[in-house]
Amino acid sequence: YAMLLSLIFLIVLVAAVVGFVFRHEIKTNFESNLELALQDYNVTADGHSEAVDTIQRTLHCCGVKNYSDWERTEYFRQRGIPQSCCKNQNDCSEEDLKDPNKAELKVFTSGCFSLVTSAMESKMSVVAGISFGIACFQLIGIILSCCLSRYITNNQYEMV
């Protein structure tokens, strides 16, 4: 049992170290995937468009760096900036969303990448605290299972 707990503890430890070491690559990868999701917005029938809409509505943001990122997409040429960027859903017309100057007043101007990464970084202390707590319980379990094993082994020889 102690070996199993030790193995799980080492796997969690390695995962935490790898996540910490490669955090910049994870950010870069997320940014490039978000840019790809904007380029493919409503072109493919997958969940990326819905995910972009959810991020923009929830975090009150628009585009990767700002709302002007949409101007380089095929969707903008056809329909303008998506409705999910609007500050007030009732006040956004398609004509306003096709004109970047009018849209600036009606949509969220901050980009989603910085908001998502700052939200993730702010939650990292909570994740680290929970992980540390679980690791402490695992170490206590390892120590207690070793003590139990030793106690059982010692008592076995006394019975004979």
Side-chain angles (χ1 to χ4, degrees), residues 44-143:
T44 57
D46 58 5
H48 292 115
S49 300
E50 192 175 318
V52 169
D53 285 337
T54 302
I55 289 172
Q56 290 181 152
R57 275 192 207 100
T58 306
L59 296 178
H60 303 292
C61 59
C62 190
V64 178
K65 292 187 176 61
N66 58 31
Y67 74 98
S68 64
D69 292 334
W70 284 102
E71 295 175 30
R72 297 184 299 274
T73 65
E74 186 62 36
Y75 183 83
F76 180 81
R77 291 180 198 91
Q78 295 172 1
R79 301 179 65 190
I81 297 173
Q83 287 282 332
S84 60
C85 284
C86 292
K87 293 176 185 174
N88 184 357
Q89 296 293 323
N90 300 329
D91 191 28
C92 276
S93 66
E94 195 169 315
E95 297 86 35
D96 291 341
L97 294 175
K98 283 185 177 180
D99 182 10
N101 296 324
K102 289 181 184 177
E104 183 178 9
L105 302 171
K106 307 242 178 191
V107 299
F108 303 115
T109 54
S110 57
C112 293
F113 176 71
S114 61
L115 290 175
V116 168
T117 53
S118 65
M120 285 174 30
E121 287 171 355
S122 69
K123 305 294 185 216
M124 287 307 283
S125 60
V126 173
V127 172
I130 292 171
S131 299
F132 181 73
I134 291 171
C136 286
F137 280 118
Q138 284 181 323
L139 286 175
I140 290 170
I142 292 168
I143 293 168

Side-chain angles (χ1 to χ4, degrees), residues 6-52:
S6 299
L7 181 67
I8 293 171
F9 178 76
L10 288 175
I11 290 171
V12 169
L13 183 67
V14 167
V17 168
V18 167
F20 181 76
V21 169
F22 293 112
R23 69 185 182 279
H24 298 295
E25 287 83 359
I26 292 170
K27 280 185 185 180
T28 305
N29 194 14
F30 175 71
E31 184 176 18
S32 63
N33 284 333
L34 189 57
E35 288 171 356
L36 282 173
L38 259 64
Q39 292 300 322
D40 295 338
Y41 186 81
N42 275 359
V43 174
T44 57
D46 58 5
H48 292 115
S49 300
E50 192 175 318
V52 169

